[in-house]
Amino acid sequence: MKSRYNKIAGILLFFATMLSASCSSFLEEQDPSSLSPDSYFTLPEHATAGIAAAYDRTRFIGGGAGIFSVNWSMPEMVTGTASTETGQNTDLNNLQSLVYNGDNVHVNNWWNGLYVVIAQTNLVLDKVPGINPMEDATKKSILGEAYFLRAWSYFYLVRLFGDVPLIIKPVDASSPELKPTRTAVKDVYTQIVNDLKTAEASGLPFTDASGRASLGAVKTLLAKVYITMAGNPLNLGQEYYKLAADKAKEVIDNGGYSLFANYNDLHSVSTENVGEHIFELQFLASVDDNSLQDILLPNFKEISAYSTEIGSTVPTESFVKSFEAGDKRVQEQQFFYTSYYTGGIGPLKPLNKPYIFKHFDVLANGTFNTVGTTRSDLNIPNLLYSDLLLTYAEAQNETDGSPNAVAYKAINDIRTRATLPTLSGLSQAAFREAVWRERWHELCYDNLTWFDMVRLRKVYNEATNGFDDFVGHAFSYGPVLAQKHLLFPMPTNELKNNPNLGPQNPGY
């Protein structure tokens, strides 16, 4: 049955007329059943609750996507570096086999999840300026965070789907955005850049150990946006590589972030929102449990306190074998593990293949003689300093025609941590590919690889240690990338409910 309006509009309209239940504690003797944005956004506490709701919505990435899968898996399953040990989720298996379409649950969830964040930020940006009295610096900061989160959302959308509806105001029943049309990619990027520049000027602290958006996060995201604009599909070239390099250098020069000395700090509750973590998706077991733990465990090998072990997303052995000889990242319990404690507490049990350790919560799963809690407070990394360093190195090399000392230091700091030889004396082309290789290996399973594949139109070849063109590259387990895979399909339901969104992306 055809719905009255498409799902984007429904989401935007819903969040323009309702707020999360957590906001009700700030009300002053008002009937909750009569709430509206106009009656709610009257106190500074309402602004705080409104932006908190926007952060809450970002956790959709860790949300469920049908049986035995989460949304986080979608960008991993289409890279050729990930496989699955569960056959129950057809949508997940179709992603891995590159035969997905607009009916895919993961595709729908990414689309809807991102527009929910946009709906909430639009509400904050529209209503918070009118709250009076409210301390100016606090108001400016909250608006800066909202601009950051809206840009963050549209940056995902435009890379995943290409032309997408650009909606920057709350929607009500009379809004034309109930049936939105798609906006050209270049115009979406213009809005993203404008939002991030506004956020830059909003007085945010450079770092923020609470997990909120910081100035460092804004600048890091802007550097990533610029380097993406320099590449495909816009191909704006050297000017934007320079913008990316300059913005990344601002973050490096500030000194507020650094690489962890220990890889295990990448997935430790004690090191969240500091050091290498520029921005993370926040999880707290008592509020919203990190859902990656049982999903990423080996399929029912009984090595955890969790009763459900799924093996939903696991590394391909060919990718793990592609790391350089002596690379610390492939040593046991660094990025991967090949054995773990029986039941999470007992004798070591060999697993006979590698599994992802980068997101492993030792406290939740258990360790030798220590029972796991099966409740994970672990955040999901989103913006990493290692990514920022490699963004600078790549962008500077493209800008100046050869790597400078700072670019060498950026990549060599990462290689030194991995106990690999440092690089020197490379040509522009050789350095370019060295950075790309480092991105594939250092940033694996961080939801970054597919986006590199699309902007570069290149894919790492594990057998040759070189790079193939995107179109025609064959994964080690058989599927071949085609032109259509440069974008995900528009969700089928969206197209059915709103003809203004057509046509479907090419090839679907």
Side-chain angles (χ1 to χ4, degrees):
M1 183 174 68
K2 190 172 182 179
S3 64
R4 287 175 295 172
Y5 46 81
N6 82 320
K7 198 171 289 184
I8 300 176
I11 290 167
L12 293 169
L13 179 60
F14 177 81
F15 283 98
T17 56
M18 294 288 288
L19 290 168
S20 70
S22 64
C23 300
S24 62
S25 62
F26 298 112
L27 299 176
E28 294 184 327
E29 298 184 10
Q30 296 183 46
D31 178 6
S33 66
S34 66
L35 283 179
S36 72
D38 290 332
S39 65
Y40 181 82
F41 279 101
T42 57
L43 299 173
E45 291 88 350
H46 299 167
T48 301
I51 194 64
Y55 283 110
D56 173 76
R57 308 299 184 246
T58 65
R59 290 201 291 266
F60 84 88
I61 290 177
I67 186 172
F68 295 161
S69 189
V70 293
N71 297 320
W72 176 90
S73 292
M74 186 179 85
E76 298 299 337
M77 298 305 291
V78 291
T79 63
T81 66
S83 183
T84 183
E85 293 183 331
T86 179
Q88 286 91 333
N89 192 304
T90 302
D91 295 297
L92 183 74
N93 283 272
N94 286 346
L95 286 166
Q96 185 200 9
S97 301
L98 300 180
V99 293
Y100 49 88
N101 58 28
D103 296 324
N104 191 284
V105 170
H106 300 76
V107 170
N108 276 269
N109 287 354
W110 273 86
W111 175 278
N112 293 328
L114 290 164
Y115 272 111
V116 167
V117 180
I118 290 165
Q120 188 65 34
T121 56
N122 282 346
L123 196 59
V124 170
L125 293 169
D126 186 69
K127 299 300 181 182
V128 169
I131 297 177
N132 186 38
M134 183 175 178
E135 204 268 327
D136 284 345
T138 301
K139 179 184 291 187
K140 191 175 182 182
S141 178
I142 286 175
L143 293 173
E145 293 172 70
Y147 278 115
F148 168 82
L149 290 173
R150 187 168 72 179
W152 176 90
S153 301
Y154 271 119
F155 188 43
Y156 274 117
L157 278 167
V158 76
R159 291 179 295 166
L160 291 168
F161 300 104
D163 297 348
V164 293
L166 183 62
I167 302 171
I168 58 174
K169 293 289 184 183
V171 174
D172 60 32
S174 63
S175 300
E177 284 81 4
L178 286 174
K179 295 284 187 178
T181 58
R182 296 167 73 175
T183 302
V185 165
K186 63 182 180 60
D187 295 325
V188 178
Y189 272 105
T190 297
Q191 184 66 50
I192 292 169
V193 170
N194 288 342
D195 278 359
L196 290 174
K197 286 183 175 179
T198 303
E200 265 192 303
S202 64
L204 296 173
F206 205 92
T207 62
D208 192 328
S210 74
R212 299 170 76 103
S214 64
L215 182 58
V218 173
K219 290 180 181 293
T220 297
L221 185 57
L222 191 50
K224 288 173 63 65
V225 169
Y226 284 145
I227 200 170
T228 303
M229 295 174 75
N232 291 285
L234 295 180
N235 288 305
L236 296 179
Q238 191 170 23
E239 176 187 355
Y240 278 78
Y241 279 120
K242 186 177 190 312
L243 288 170
D246 290 347
K247 194 59 59 179
K249 186 70 158 44
E250 291 178 27
V251 180
I252 294 170
D253 288 346
N254 176 269
Y257 305 99
S258 59
L259 295 176
F260 292 126
N262 186 336
Y263 287 124
N264 286 336
D265 286 339
L266 288 169
H267 52 109
S268 170
V269 173
S270 65
T271 53
E272 291 179 337
N273 304 316
V274 297
E276 200 161 339
H277 294 304
I278 298 176
F279 182 67
E280 295 187 280
L281 307 181
Q282 306 295 303
F283 286 85
L284 187 65
S286 60
V287 178
D288 194 355
D289 193 29
N290 178 310
S291 57
L292 297 189
Q293 297 310 309
D294 55 353
I295 290 288
L296 298 183
L297 290 171
N299 187 252
F300 295 104
K301 298 289 180 66
E302 298 182 355
I303 52 91
S304 169
Y306 284 94
S307 59
T308 303
E309 301 175 337
I310 297 171
S312 176
T313 304
V314 302
T316 59
E317 293 186 67
S318 59
F319 176 69
V320 176
K321 291 176 180 177
S322 73
F323 283 70
E324 288 181 54
D327 195 324
K328 184 177 180 180
R329 292 171 291 199
V330 289
Q331 293 176 10
E332 187 67 13
Q333 293 192 15
Q334 300 299 318
F335 280 12
F336 309 98
Y337 65 109
T338 59
S339 63
Y340 205 69
Y341 305 107
T342 304
I345 61 171
L348 272 179
K349 175 184 286 190
L351 301 172
N352 302 318
K353 61 182 294 188
Y355 293 88
I356 299 169
F357 201 67
K358 279 182 105 175
H359 302 288
F360 191 95
D361 187 340
V362 172
L363 295 177
N365 286 288
T367 189
F368 187 66
N369 283 339
T370 303
V371 178
T373 64
T374 67
R375 290 167 59 83
S376 178
D377 295 325
L378 197 62
N379 292 341
I380 296 178
N382 191 261
L383 295 177
L384 287 158
Y385 188 60
S386 49
D387 181 15
L388 186 279
L389 289 176
L390 293 171
T391 296
Y392 173 79
E394 180 183 345
Q396 182 277 320
N397 183 54
E398 298 298 338
T399 299
D400 296 336
S402 62
N404 64 16
V406 180
Y408 270 117
K409 184 178 188 312
I411 191 172
N412 283 333
D413 282 353
I414 290 170
R415 290 179 61 81
T416 296
R417 181 171 65 169
T419 64
L420 292 173
T422 57
L423 304 176
S424 63
L426 299 181
S427 66
Q428 181 187 35
F431 188 81
R432 176 188 297 129
E433 291 206 2
V435 172
W436 292 352
R437 270 189 292 274
E438 215 58 59
R439 291 190 65 83
W440 249 260
H441 292 118
E442 176 67 25
L443 304 175
C444 61
Y445 312 110
D446 285 326
N447 274 190
L448 293 168
T449 300
W450 185 82
F451 298 105
D452 280 343
M453 290 163 57
V454 170
R455 73 177 176 87
L456 297 172
R457 298 292 196 266
K458 296 287 184 181
V459 185
Y460 177 64
N461 186 314
E462 299 153 356
T464 67
N465 201 36
F467 289 86
D468 298 340
D469 289 339
F470 182 101
V471 177
H473 172 80
F475 291 162
S476 62
Y477 52 87
V480 177
L481 288 164
Q483 185 75 23
K484 74 174 189 177
H485 296 123
L486 292 167
L487 292 175
F488 281 89
M490 302 283 289
T492 302
N493 284 340
E494 297 292 327
L495 291 168
K496 287 180 178 178
N497 294 330
N498 179 15
N500 292 336
L501 291 175
Q504 176 61 280
N505 283 336
Y508 296 101

